[in-house]
Amino acid sequence: MLCISYNFIHYVKPSLELPGLFSVVRMRIASSADSSSNNSRSQMIMADSGSSDEVAVICNTDITSTESENNLINTMVERGTALLKKMEISVAEADKRTGKNTVNMQETYTVYLIETRPAESVSEEGTPAAPDTLWRRYSEFELLRTYLLVTYPYIIVPPLPEKRAEFVWHKLSADNLDPDFVERRRVGLENFLLRLASHPVLSNDNIFFLFLTEEKGWREAVLETGFQDKADSRLKSLSAMFRVKNPDKRFTALKHYSEDLSTVISQLLRIRARVADRLYGVYKVHANYGRVFSEWSAIEKEMGDGLQSAGHHMDTYAASIDDILEEEEHYADQLKEYLFYTEAVRSVCRKHELIQYELEMAAQDLSYKKQQKEELETGTVRIFSLKGMTSKLFGQETQEQRESKVAALEQSIQEGEDALKEKNAESQEFVEKAWNDIERFNEQKEKDLREALISYAIMQISMCKKGIQVWSNAKECFNKM
Amino acid sequence: MSVGAPRGLASSGQKLITEILHPLSAAEEPLSPGPDVTISAEKDKEPGLTNGTPVEISSPASASVLLSRLQLDGDPEADAHDPFGSGEPRDLFVTVDDPKKHVSTMETYITYRVSTKTTRIEFDLPEYSVRRRYQDFDWLRIKLEDSQPTHLVPPLPEKFVMKGVVDRFSEEFVDTRMKALDKFLKRVADHPVLSFNPHLNAFLTAKDLNKRQGLALLTKVGESVKNVAGGYKLRARPAEFCAMGEYLDTFSQKLGTIDRIAQRILREQSAEYLTELREYGTVYSTWAGSEEQLQRPLEGVAGCVTTSCGALEDLSDNMSQDFLPVLREYILYIESMKNVLRKRDQVQAEYEGRLEAAVLRKQEDRTPIPVEVEKCQDKVECFNADLKADWERWQRNKRQDFKQLLTGMADKNISYYEKSQAAWESLITLLQEKQTEDKTSETN
């Protein structure tokens, strides 16, 4: 088994022009999806969008699935992490299990199949080699993430897909066992793993590697790292109400930005769900036209045929909204990922605040001790202390007593200076590592969100084309009336 | 019948029509005699086409003028679906346009310009332009119904409007009503019998349409007399008229359903969906405010959403102003047609009743069948013939009207999607330009 050490790798910008990670993930989904590939279309124009001369050649929107598969392999290999150079990762399936939980109750839960395969592996026949597989449930993903959060507090750790469906429009199920929800979660979990695998720091983590390769004994391995102790410190940083005297402006700005982003994306998701609801209603009402045209055609002679066929087109129109909105869910998922990312950003900021606070405390403590020593040496009492007062009232100390106190203080001061130096170094290292990752994150965010917007625009265009097609067909029928 | 002195228009008397000034025509110049009359109802001098049609510049009703201009120029499509069915050339063209508000101490109301062009000898002049208000149209319709009870008279838009619910003077309402009045008049003018009705002539030509208050009362009395006289029971309605009645019932039902569906779509699309969509667009703008690199793309998305909102508004306006009124008008049309069918039943019932009574009397004391009974028989046969002819015409017109209505609806929907698509496509170009920009700067 390979031993992977903690190496700090600077993120290398790919020298080729590549689509962002999102397109990697989406294309991956496209190639691994089976018959009901309802969430894989975001970058591809709908096949039934009408006459071929209408299909605008807009950059990477008319990629076929074989092309995208190749793109994927190229992208992953060029991505720059050692892990992805070695292996392909996917979450291929979801399944239901029943078992006894910790309180000995029967429960049904979903497990996900993780497939790993050596990169660019091809057997003699030319088909890809069989992958290694193992099953994981959602709680194990959560454990992995918690471990990473604690172990790399300066890293913006990629978020997991939501545990429960939120921001749903009414037709979409909020049930965790609903097959559509499970499918979307499978996609989200795969995305999570790929984000980890392409991260310059996290991809080298051993526990992550074991998560992908060792089904049994993984939990124990995680616990053995002793991350629980650090977990307490992290909790402290998240919940504490401490005041930092000299906050780092960059971190403050970042914290505010992530709060704003979180608010605005939540708003967007909520309204989008309402818009989807309304649009669904409007489309479905058109089916009533279908019915009434059909009934009307029964009493007409020459107009009958035209009306009848127009009615069919109205039915088609009403039915088309289901696919349209399901595709849009993918866009919502992309937004949700960044909504959850803001949490990770905020926790890095808060961790920094804690370090800064501890640094300030250490400095403060040191200067207090130094002052004490100065007072003892010069005899002036500037700092009120009960001891000092009582010694003034009830007589001075002896020379030996004073000297031993000074010695003790000098020792303490030395320790304090060492501690301060250590804390300073810790803080500097944290800031350096954190800003590295923040810059990487910002670039990733810009790229991903821009692509998400492009794919959203493509979805809208596709919806418009479908609408034009249906109404044109209906118009032809009306003309024949 | 001399058209120069139609019945019921005492004021036109012996004066030349051209010399009578309508009280509402203060802004209009009096008509000058002559074959090449140019009608200038506006304060500005309007240029006219070579055939004398005034060119609309500022009127909001240019659509109907356009339509009538097309008819004058011989629109091939209109000829192909000649409602006459007999290939006869049209010689009477009417248009309703140019709504104007009139405020007096007693009331405020709207008048419309009614323009006529004709070559018929029943008219003194080839062109006329008068101003009429809704009341006048209503008067005309009642007169037509009374004087030609065996024919289908087209309906008028609804008379009563709930004040406070609908603004009777809003541009949309006036425009919708005007289009319906125009349609009404055109249908009458196209009818081979109704268009020769003297009341129509008066309506189109008289400067002062004196409707004589007493007439309204007389009309009501006349109707009730007919009803009392029609206390006969109908024996056997001919199959074709049964079929007509059934057809009308079902058709009316279906139209009502379509009306409800269209209203529901209108409400859900233009009120509820549109509201949410607008808010959706604003959130993208808000988001753009806190971003740097993503600001332009996000603003772009907000812009596309706004464009879609605008396009949606256009679609909704169209549906409520063009589609729904025409639909409702047909429902009214059907109601008036059912009335005519009922009248026909009454006439037949009367004849049957009288015939039966006469036959019985003949059997008793050999009294010959009175002439009145034969007249009744004539009445029935005329009525049936008129009705059948009108029915055919009505079916043809209906087919045309609905073809136009529904293709119009399809067109508006297509236009909405086209506008939206164009906006999103230009956004993609923008976004992808930026992408390639960034990539080239990266590799440099």
Side-chain angles (χ1 to χ4, degrees):
Chain A
M1 193 178 78
L2 269 164
C3 221
I4 301 172
S5 57
Y6 288 85
N7 269 332
F8 188 79
I9 301 175
H10 279 273
Y11 177 59
V12 176
K13 289 182 192 175
S15 53
L16 298 180
E17 300 193 354
L18 298 162
L21 179 63
F22 260 126
S23 46
V24 165
V25 174
R26 279 205 296 274
M27 289 188 262
R28 185 64 179 130
I29 298 160
S31 51
S32 71
D34 11 273
S35 51
S36 60
S37 54
N38 47 15
N39 49 13
S40 63
R41 310 288 199 116
S42 43
Q43 275 211 328
M44 303 183 215
I45 289 209
M46 300 300 289
D48 55 343
S49 63
S51 54
S52 53
D53 55 333
E54 276 178 42
V55 171
V57 180
I58 308 169
C59 208
N60 54 4
T61 58
D62 38 33
I63 299 176
T64 62
S65 54
T66 38
E67 278 174 48
S68 66
E69 182 102 39
N70 289 332
N71 274 350
L72 170 74
I73 295 170
N74 291 335
T75 310
M76 280 181 157
V77 167
E78 299 297 337
R79 203 68 192 178
T81 68
L83 186 64
L84 282 179
K85 283 200 171 79
K86 276 195 320 134
M87 59 161 57
E88 282 173 28
I89 305 165
S90 74
V91 176
E93 277 171 46
D95 199 7
K96 283 215 221 330
R97 296 276 163 85
T98 27
K100 292 250 166 86
N101 64 7
T102 44
V103 290
N104 219 27
M105 304 255 288
Q106 279 285 87
E107 61 167 6
T108 310
Y109 55 87
T110 315
V111 286
Y112 299 88
L113 185 69
I114 300 182
E115 279 184 3
T116 49
R117 190 190 288 139
E120 295 193 38
S121 65
V122 173
S123 67
E124 299 85 60
E125 294 90 55
T127 54
D132 296 319
T133 65
L134 49 83
W135 294 92
R136 294 267 184 233
R137 53 185 297 190
Y138 190 86
S139 56
E140 291 177 280
F141 281 85
E142 284 182 311
L143 180 59
L144 172 66
R145 185 161 191 270
T146 309
Y147 161 79
L148 291 171
L149 278 170
V150 166
T151 314
Y152 304 92
Y154 46 87
I155 295 288
I156 298 170
V157 178
L160 283 169
E162 54 192 358
K163 193 156 195 183
R164 260 160 278 282
E166 271 180 70
F167 304 111
V168 281
W169 57 284
H170 86 281
K171 177 68 168 35
L172 221 53
S173 173
D175 175 19
N176 280 4
L177 295 173
D178 180 78
D180 284 334
F181 178 73
V182 168
E183 170 60 19
R184 295 213 330 274
R185 210 206 245 180
R186 180 194 67 76
V187 169
L189 291 174
E190 184 176 283
N191 186 42
F192 170 72
L193 293 180
L194 288 173
R195 288 239 188 252
L196 292 181
S198 56
H199 193 283
V201 174
L202 301 176
S203 59
N204 298 311
D205 185 272
N206 191 40
I207 295 291
F208 173 52
F209 185 75
L210 292 176
F211 181 87
L212 296 173
T213 52
E214 290 287 321
E215 185 157 13
K216 308 238 184 297
W218 178 75
R219 259 183 206 273
E220 289 72 20
V222 182
L223 295 173
E224 265 171 43
T225 63
F227 81 100
Q228 302 278 40
D229 309 327
K230 290 193 230 163
D232 296 331
S233 157
R234 179 167 181 271
L235 269 174
K236 181 177 165 196
S237 78
L238 289 177
S239 57
M241 305 280 274
F242 44 79
R243 179 84 63 81
V244 172
K245 291 210 189 96
N246 291 314
D248 185 325
K249 285 205 175 58
R250 292 183 304 170
F251 277 99
T252 313
L254 181 63
K255 189 165 78 144
H256 289 151
Y257 167 74
S258 74
E259 281 162 4
D260 287 341
L261 189 62
S262 169
T263 308
V264 88
I265 294 185
S266 302
Q267 250 186 321
L268 197 62
L269 286 168
R270 235 174 305 125
I271 298 181
R272 194 209 69 90
R274 290 208 299 263
V275 168
D277 249 335
R278 296 294 184 196
L279 191 62
Y280 182 81
V282 169
Y283 267 73
K284 288 302 177 191
V285 173
H286 282 78
N288 296 341
Y289 271 146
R291 191 170 43 233
V292 78
F293 284 165
S294 178
E295 290 167 5
W296 179 8
S297 72
I299 59 168
E300 295 291 342
K301 286 176 241 148
E302 303 117 335
M303 281 168 62
D305 289 335
L307 272 176
Q308 178 90 309
S309 4
H312 291 321
H313 290 298
M314 289 293 99
D315 288 331
T316 307
Y317 182 73
S320 67
I321 191 67
D322 294 301
D323 282 347
I324 289 170
L325 286 179
E326 226 181 294
E327 227 190 298
E328 263 200 32
E329 278 311 309
H330 187 60
Y331 173 67
D333 285 339
Q334 291 173 281
L335 293 178
K336 274 183 210 171
E337 193 195 15
Y338 275 91
L339 174 65
F340 302 148
Y341 252 126
T342 60
E343 280 272 9
V345 173
R346 250 169 303 172
S347 68
V348 169
C349 292
R350 266 187 247 121
K351 178 67 185 181
H352 173 258
E353 269 178 24
L354 180 65
I355 290 178
Q356 178 79 347
Y357 176 74
E358 288 171 354
L359 183 63
E360 285 175 1
M361 285 295 108
Q364 201 181 319
D365 190 59
L366 183 63
S367 88
Y368 174 67
K369 284 183 188 154
K370 282 189 174 163
Q371 252 194 328
Q372 266 193 316
K373 176 178 161 205
E374 196 199 307
E375 276 175 24
L376 270 180
E377 282 172 347
T378 59
T380 54
V381 180
R382 244 173 308 153
I383 304 167
F384 178 82
S385 75
L386 193 59
K387 205 132 184 246
M389 279 291 105
T390 49
S391 62
K392 269 223 144 140
L393 290 171
F394 298 114
Q396 298 283 18
E397 304 161 303
T398 61
Q399 185 67 10
E400 288 115 23
Q401 274 178 319
R402 194 127 49 88
E403 274 170 13
S404 74
K405 268 210 193 112
V406 170
L409 258 177
E410 270 175 12
Q411 169 87 346
S412 180
I413 286 171
Q414 186 57 44
E415 281 167 7
E417 271 176 352
D418 289 340
L420 184 62
K421 209 186 284 181
E422 212 184 286
K423 261 287 176 234
N424 241 323
E426 182 190 336
S427 170
Q428 271 180 9
E429 191 190 338
F430 182 94
V431 169
E432 190 187 320
K433 286 184 183 173
W435 273 105
N436 241 317
D437 198 53
I438 288 164
E439 271 161 24
R440 179 206 62 83
F441 170 76
N442 272 329
E443 259 188 61
Q444 172 199 297
K445 177 204 81 181
E446 304 260 322
K447 210 174 224 175
D448 287 344
L449 288 177
R450 170 171 295 151
E451 277 194 23
L453 292 177
I454 291 177
S455 78
Y456 182 69
I458 292 173
M459 278 182 227
Q460 298 305 303
I461 291 172
S462 159
M463 179 171 91
C464 289
K465 284 190 173 159
K466 276 184 182 173
I468 292 173
Q469 180 80 342
V470 166
W471 281 105
S472 301
N473 290 342
K475 182 179 170 184
E476 249 183 73
C477 297
F478 292 141
N479 266 325
K480 294 207 193 105
M481 266 172 33
Chain B
M1 192 172 357
S2 161
V3 171
R7 286 176 290 146
L9 290 178
S11 59
S12 54
Q14 302 305 313
K15 276 199 213 166
L16 279 180
I17 284 173
T18 55
E19 288 174 30
I20 301 167
L21 274 181
H22 195 268
L24 299 177
S25 65
E28 288 169 14
E29 298 166 34
L31 287 175
S32 47
D36 48 338
V37 156
T38 40
I39 301 152
S40 54
E42 309 295 342
K43 296 161 228 156
D44 319 300
K45 254 299 180 177
E46 286 175 39
L49 294 180
T50 46
N51 63 1
T53 318
V55 174
E56 289 304 312
I57 302 173
S58 54
S59 165
S62 40
S64 48
V65 175
L66 224 53
L67 192 61
S68 63
R69 202 188 303 162
L70 282 173
Q71 288 170 337
L72 287 168
D73 293 343
D75 180 15
E77 223 185 73
D79 286 342
H81 303 284
D82 188 355
F84 283 114
S86 54
E88 269 176 44
R90 263 108 114 274
D91 54 3
L92 175 65
F93 301 94
V94 294
T95 310
V96 179
D97 60 9
D98 187 34
K100 277 204 171 99
K101 196 193 263 192
H102 292 263
V103 184
S104 72
T105 45
M106 297 291 282
E107 53 176 347
T108 307
Y109 56 90
I110 307 265
T111 61
Y112 308 86
R113 176 174 62 186
V114 177
S115 316
T116 310
K117 279 178 98 64
T118 180
T119 53
R120 290 190 185 176
I121 47 161
E122 290 82 1
F123 291 83
D124 289 342
L125 300 169
E127 288 178 24
Y128 291 92
S129 176
V130 296
R131 294 209 73 91
R132 296 283 179 254
R133 55 186 290 191
Y134 183 94
Q135 269 181 20
D136 302 334
F137 284 84
D138 200 30
W139 170 89
L140 174 63
R141 187 169 193 282
I142 294 172
K143 290 314 251 180
L144 288 174
E145 267 191 341
D146 288 345
S147 53
Q148 324 260 202
T150 63
H151 286 286
L152 299 173
V153 179
L156 279 176
E158 275 140 17
K159 182 172 200 163
F160 296 109
V161 183
M162 273 166 60
K163 290 187 192 172
V165 174
V166 179
D167 178 10
R168 289 181 301 138
F169 303 108
S170 75
E171 218 183 290
E172 289 95 34
F173 177 78
V174 170
D175 193 61
T176 304
R177 200 179 233 204
M178 188 182 69
K179 285 190 190 140
L181 293 174
D182 181 74
K183 204 162 212 177
F184 162 78
L185 213 53
K186 283 190 161 76
R187 280 181 176 144
V188 172
D190 285 345
H191 195 287
V193 176
L194 294 178
S195 62
F196 286 94
N197 189 290
H199 295 103
L200 176 67
N201 195 305
F203 179 89
L204 293 175
T205 61
K207 273 298 180 187
D208 179 16
L209 193 65
N210 188 334
K211 301 184 291 265
R212 259 217 224 144
Q213 277 73 350
L215 279 174
L217 190 60
L218 272 175
T219 316
K220 288 208 173 80
V221 170
E223 285 231 33
S224 56
V225 164
K226 278 195 210 142
N227 283 334
V228 167
Y232 299 90
K233 270 258 171 77
L234 182 65
R235 293 278 177 74
R237 188 185 296 117
E240 55 195 323
F241 298 111
C242 284
M244 281 184 201
E246 275 167 27
Y247 174 84
L248 288 175
D249 281 335
T250 312
F251 188 40
S252 160
Q253 203 186 65
K254 297 310 158 199
L255 288 185
T257 307
I258 295 177
D259 182 57
R260 276 191 299 279
I261 297 171
Q263 274 192 68
R264 186 168 163 197
I265 291 178
L266 203 63
R267 189 181 61 242
E268 289 191 17
Q269 199 173 47
S270 344
E272 296 164 0
Y273 173 62
L274 189 59
T275 314
E276 303 286 3
L277 200 62
R278 285 214 182 95
E279 209 188 322
Y280 185 57
T282 11
V283 178
Y284 278 106
S285 279
T286 310
W287 186 358
S290 58
E291 294 288 339
E292 288 170 11
Q293 295 277 29
L294 288 174
Q295 186 182 28
R296 273 183 82 206
L298 287 170
E299 285 288 3
V301 172
C304 287
V305 174
T306 307
T307 305
S308 297
C309 287
L312 197 56
E313 269 177 45
D314 291 340
L315 174 62
S316 310
D317 284 343
N318 237 288
M319 288 304 281
S320 64
Q321 281 171 31
D322 294 335
F323 184 82
L324 285 177
V326 173
L327 206 59
R328 290 193 187 128
E329 183 197 290
Y330 253 90
I331 297 177
L332 290 174
Y333 212 161
I334 292 172
E335 281 314 305
S336 71
M337 285 176 71
K338 284 200 217 169
N339 272 333
V340 176
L341 282 177
R342 274 191 280 270
K343 276 193 231 162
R344 191 218 68 87
D345 284 351
Q346 278 169 20
V347 168
Q348 181 181 330
E350 190 185 330
Y351 164 65
E352 283 173 354
R354 286 182 191 266
L355 181 63
E356 199 181 312
V359 165
L360 279 172
R361 231 176 297 137
K362 189 175 184 189
Q363 286 175 343
E364 277 169 26
D365 51 16
R366 302 252 209 87
T367 323
I369 310 256
V371 181
E372 290 82 40
V373 176
E374 282 173 17
K375 277 195 186 155
C376 266
Q377 187 181 28
D378 288 340
K379 240 168 116 183
V380 172
E381 282 167 12
C382 276
F383 209 134
N384 288 352
D386 286 345
L387 199 50
K388 272 193 239 179
D390 274 4
W391 177 261
E392 290 305 311
R393 175 175 306 104
W394 183 82
Q395 284 286 11
R396 274 197 301 272
N397 283 348
K398 173 210 80 185
R399 191 174 165 195
Q400 261 307 99
D401 287 341
F402 275 96
K403 190 192 260 194
Q404 202 176 36
L405 187 71
L406 292 170
T407 47
M409 171 170 94
D411 272 333
K412 294 308 168 200
N413 275 281
I414 291 170
S415 161
Y416 158 67
Y417 280 116
E418 281 176 344
K419 287 181 204 160
S420 186
Q421 180 179 338
W424 288 106
E425 276 177 343
S426 61
L427 177 68
I428 289 197
T429 335
L430 175 80
L431 291 177
Q432 288 184 332
E433 262 171 25
K434 195 69 173 40
Q435 254 189 342
T436 41
E437 249 176 60
D438 287 342
K439 291 215 171 102
T440 44
S441 65
E442 262 174 42
T443 51
N444 287 343

